[in-house]
Amino acid sequence: NDSLYQQTYDELQKQFDELLALDAKTQKTLFDTGYNIGAGDYQSWQKFGMYNMVGDLDVTIMPLSVFKECASGGFFSPVAGHLPTDLYMALSEYMVESKLKDEDGNLVPESEVVLGICVDSSPVFEGQQRNESLVLAINAAPKNEENIEKFLRFLFFPDDVK
């Protein structure tokens, strides 16, 4: 939840819809800022978990502390499996690793995998004052996988996106 920058998200959503050439009558992207999971809001956690489980969330942008809470719990998919090599390499300096948990909830030693991308340096978020970094994670079962690459290029390389 980042109401301070709601205008930024509204503009992003409009621009991304245009990039995808969506039919506004039947299709849309949703930049849902109605989560407050960093503050321990149970309903937000429940909403996030449910939408993630059924695949209604493709990517999530969240504060680093919330990402760390979610990353080891199976909410996210490894970044490498969703990006072409050129984009993965271009974003490699922004990658965020996390350890995974076993079925008993214990962190697995030497299980670090890239599950997030820090977006603070992207043109969209650059220069905004925050208490902590923002991390984009690819959700476990995204329905619109083909748009993940487009969205990352849109965030980091807006002048190159057509």
Side-chain angles (χ1 to χ4, degrees):
N1 183 11
D2 199 356
S3 58
L4 184 61
Y5 298 106
Q6 185 61 48
Q7 185 176 1
T8 299
Y9 295 122
D10 291 345
E11 184 60 27
L12 274 177
Q13 182 172 334
K14 180 181 173 192
Q15 291 172 2
F16 194 59
D17 284 354
E18 289 171 4
L19 172 72
L20 295 176
L22 298 180
D23 178 355
K25 294 178 184 175
T26 60
Q27 301 173 305
K28 72 173 190 168
T29 57
L30 177 62
F31 286 49
D32 187 350
T33 60
Y35 296 87
N36 200 14
I37 57 180
D41 179 343
Y42 178 73
Q43 288 180 327
S44 289
W45 275 107
Q46 198 172 33
K47 177 181 169 184
F48 173 70
M50 182 189 68
Y51 284 141
N52 188 39
M53 186 173 57
V54 299
D56 282 350
L57 299 175
D58 296 322
V59 298
T60 303
I61 298 175
M62 62 189 67
L64 180 60
S65 62
V66 176
F67 169 81
K68 287 179 179 179
E69 286 183 52
C70 297
S72 62
F75 284 103
F76 307 129
S77 182
V79 171
H82 299 278
L83 303 183
T85 304
D86 70 307
L87 184 56
Y88 188 90
M89 295 305 292
L91 298 175
S92 63
E93 68 182 284
Y94 308 113
M95 300 295 181
V96 181
E97 293 182 334
S98 178
K99 290 186 185 241
L100 302 176
K101 289 183 181 178
D102 62 20
E103 55 276 350
D104 296 324
N106 301 311
L107 289 176
V108 177
E110 300 186 31
S111 67
E112 287 196 353
V113 63
V114 174
L115 293 175
I117 302 167
C118 183
V119 296
D120 293 345
S121 297
S122 71
V124 172
F125 294 105
E126 192 172 50
Q128 294 181 4
Q129 297 298 314
R130 302 187 179 283
N131 293 331
E132 62 181 307
S133 292
L134 290 178
V135 177
L136 178 144
I138 299 170
N139 292 77
K143 286 184 180 174
N144 301 293
E145 176 128 9
E146 69 281 0
N147 293 335
I148 294 170
E149 176 187 352
K150 290 178 185 175
F151 186 64
L152 282 165
R153 290 187 190 279
F154 171 75
L155 284 180
F156 282 91
F157 313 105
D159 295 335
D160 297 340
V161 178
K162 297 173 185 84

